Amino acid sequence: MPTLYGVATPIGNLQDMTPRAVETLRSVALIAAEDTRVTKKLLNVFEIDTPLTACHQHNEEGKGAWLADKMLEENIDVALTTDAGTPCISDPGYGLVKACVERGIEVIPVPGCCASVSALSVSGFDTRKVGYIPQKLQHH
């Protein structure tokens, strides 16, 4: 069964790229990128030669469905990247994720930098309970 990996990319400092993210980008058959030119620069730094296809805000609805169908037909894994940060968080990717979920394709996050969490962590605000879903809302 194919898998879609939502791979977070660095927000300005390439040293923030995780080893898991690098390995994921190397191991998939295809990378769906917000901007192939930006992602190609990242891939060059880490000597990754995985093929790229564009999946951005202007084409993600149709491209997402097409990619999900391709994943099923060819039984391939795909990574989703945006220019900086986590796909679908103020960035494109929803169309592809939605198409995969609708088709029963597993979607796995590969975490990395998150600008809002990084900023919040050094803000001085009491953040000890930020980020958790209330117990009564969690599904068991």
Side-chain angles (χ1 to χ4, degrees):
M1 183 65 152
T3 302
L4 174 67
Y5 295 92
V7 179
T9 57
I11 306 169
N13 186 332
L14 293 180
Q15 302 260 349
D16 291 334
M17 189 72 168
T18 68
R20 181 175 169 217
V22 171
E23 181 53 36
T24 299
L25 294 176
R26 278 195 179 115
S27 68
V28 296
L30 184 65
I31 298 169
E34 176 181 9
D35 185 330
T36 57
R37 298 165 298 183
V38 172
T39 300
K40 185 65 177 166
K41 289 177 187 175
L42 176 72
L43 297 182
N44 287 340
V45 168
F46 292 98
E47 299 176 348
I48 299 169
D49 61 358
T50 305
L52 293 162
T53 188
C55 187
H56 47 73
Q57 68 182 6
H58 303 295
N59 76 352
E60 71 174 318
E61 287 297 322
K63 188 73 172 261
W66 178 84
L67 277 169
D69 290 341
K70 179 180 179 67
M71 291 171 70
L72 288 170
E73 289 168 15
E74 299 178 17
N75 193 31
I76 60 171
D77 295 337
V78 171
L80 171 64
T81 64
T82 55
D83 295 348
T86 304
C88 301
I89 306 298
S90 296
D91 276 319
Y94 173 74
L96 177 53
V97 170
K98 179 179 178 233
C100 287
V101 169
E102 289 172 349
R103 289 160 177 77
I105 297 170
E106 186 173 21
V107 180
I108 297 176
V110 179
C113 298
C114 176
S116 59
V117 171
S118 296
L120 188 58
S121 72
V122 297
S123 68
F125 291 111
D126 184 355
T127 58
R128 292 176 285 182
K129 295 189 187 230
V130 171
Y132 294 100
I133 298 171
Q135 194 75 25
K136 61 185 172 189
L137 295 178
Q138 293 181 14
H139 296 282
H140 299 279

